[in-house]
Amino acid sequence: NAGVTQTPKFQVLKTGQSMTLQCAQDMNHNSMYWYRQDPGMGLRLIYYSASEGTTDKGEVPNGYNVSRLNKREFSLRLESAAPSQTSVYFCASMGLRYEQYFGPGTRLTVT
Amino acid sequence: QKEVEQNSGPLSVPEGAIASLNCTYSDRGSQSFFWYRQYSGKSPELIMSIYSNGDKEDGRFTAQLNKASQYVSLLIRDSQPSDSATYLCAVLNAGNNRKLIWGLGTSLAVNP
């Protein structure tokens, strides 16, 4: 089992460019999440998908869109990147006892 | 606003000592509690979960939960330099059991 995988690991964008972060899990979990983590700010929820076919906003959804492609995959899209979106992005899925499992993260820099 | 509070640290302990990490939460209805370890530059890793009052032991780790006091702690016995990391406390949102509420983490340094 690979658990939660994310691509890419690193990305540098110019302001205004777009990109999609990919996430997949092989644990047959229903719920999936996108977080960002910034120094001193902790983990902040961007969007989540409680089950296939549903998505909901978290604390900081502005500037992002998501797609729950199927039960395994949950992608995060930045349509027009801004320097404020420079961060580390983590995808996670939730197990049967509400515990979350994280992917390795994507380090994004927007210049 | 539901909150989870942790001392930011750094908490510094000598090798072989007991490290005690604390977490308080505001959501009185919460029923599920988690401790994660995060090494610098890595993703959070689940190390303990606890769902009922009392102690739960797993190797050198003990989680303690007191729902009446809204307090959860993590004890690390025989601390090793490899335990140096940030420890995140997370609490299940009682109003939405698809969401965790996260503390900002406590930085632990174990000195050889």
Side-chain angles (χ1 to χ4, degrees):
Chain A
N1 282 353
V4 181
T5 57
Q6 292 182 235
T7 56
K9 287 188 167 49
F10 300 93
Q11 185 71 47
V12 179
L13 291 179
K14 294 188 188 317
T15 297
Q17 288 185 319
S18 62
M19 77 162 295
T20 299
L21 282 65
Q22 307 285 356
C23 174
Q25 52 92 10
D26 63 1
M27 296 176 281
N28 201 36
H29 291 162
N30 288 318
S31 300
M32 297 183 72
Y33 304 80
W34 278 104
Y35 291 95
R36 61 178 288 174
Q37 188 176 41
D38 304 288
M41 303 291 287
L43 284 167
R44 292 186 290 170
L45 183 63
I46 304 171
Y47 271 94
Y48 68 104
S49 171
S51 60
E52 188 178 355
T54 70
T55 60
D56 285 286
K57 295 178 180 179
E59 302 169 65
V60 289
N62 290 347
Y64 305 95
N65 286 301
V66 290
S67 295
R68 183 74 183 266
L69 305 170
N70 48 55
K71 191 171 185 178
R72 290 186 64 247
E73 298 173 288
F74 188 37
S75 63
L76 178 72
R77 183 160 178 83
L78 287 69
E79 291 290 354
S80 178
S84 61
Q85 294 177 306
T86 293
S87 189
V88 180
Y89 291 85
F90 292 109
C91 178
S93 65
M94 181 176 273
L96 291 176
R97 297 208 72 188
Y98 309 109
E99 73 282 16
Q100 291 187 1
Y101 300 94
F102 285 79
T106 296
R107 292 186 177 277
L108 175 66
T109 302
V110 183
T111 62
Chain B
Q1 179 80 355
K2 298 176 181 179
E3 294 182 337
V4 172
E5 294 192 357
Q6 301 180 251
N7 288 330
S8 61
L11 174 64
S12 182
V13 300
E15 184 174 355
I18 296 174
S20 178
L21 302 148
N22 304 315
C23 172
T24 58
Y25 60 94
S26 64
D27 191 350
R28 185 170 289 279
S30 296
Q31 299 295 323
S32 304
F33 307 86
F34 307 95
W35 283 101
Y36 286 78
R37 177 177 61 199
Q38 187 174 23
Y39 292 116
S40 180
K42 301 295 187 182
S43 58
E45 173 193 10
L46 178 68
I47 53 171
M48 290 288 286
S49 57
I50 188 165
Y51 303 94
S52 55
N53 280 331
D55 294 0
K56 178 182 177 183
E57 187 174 317
D58 184 0
R60 295 186 297 111
F61 298 100
T62 299
Q64 299 175 316
L65 175 61
N66 184 326
K67 291 183 183 177
S69 300
Q70 296 175 240
Y71 176 94
V72 58
S73 64
L74 179 71
L75 300 178
I76 307 175
R77 288 183 302 282
D78 188 24
S79 294
Q80 301 298 308
S82 60
D83 295 324
S84 298
T86 295
Y87 289 81
L88 304 174
C89 175
V91 174
L92 184 65
N93 185 326
N96 180 340
N97 67 6
R98 299 295 98 191
K99 293 170 72 172
L100 297 182
I101 308 166
W102 293 87
L104 295 182
T106 297
S107 175
L108 173 66
V110 181
N111 305 307

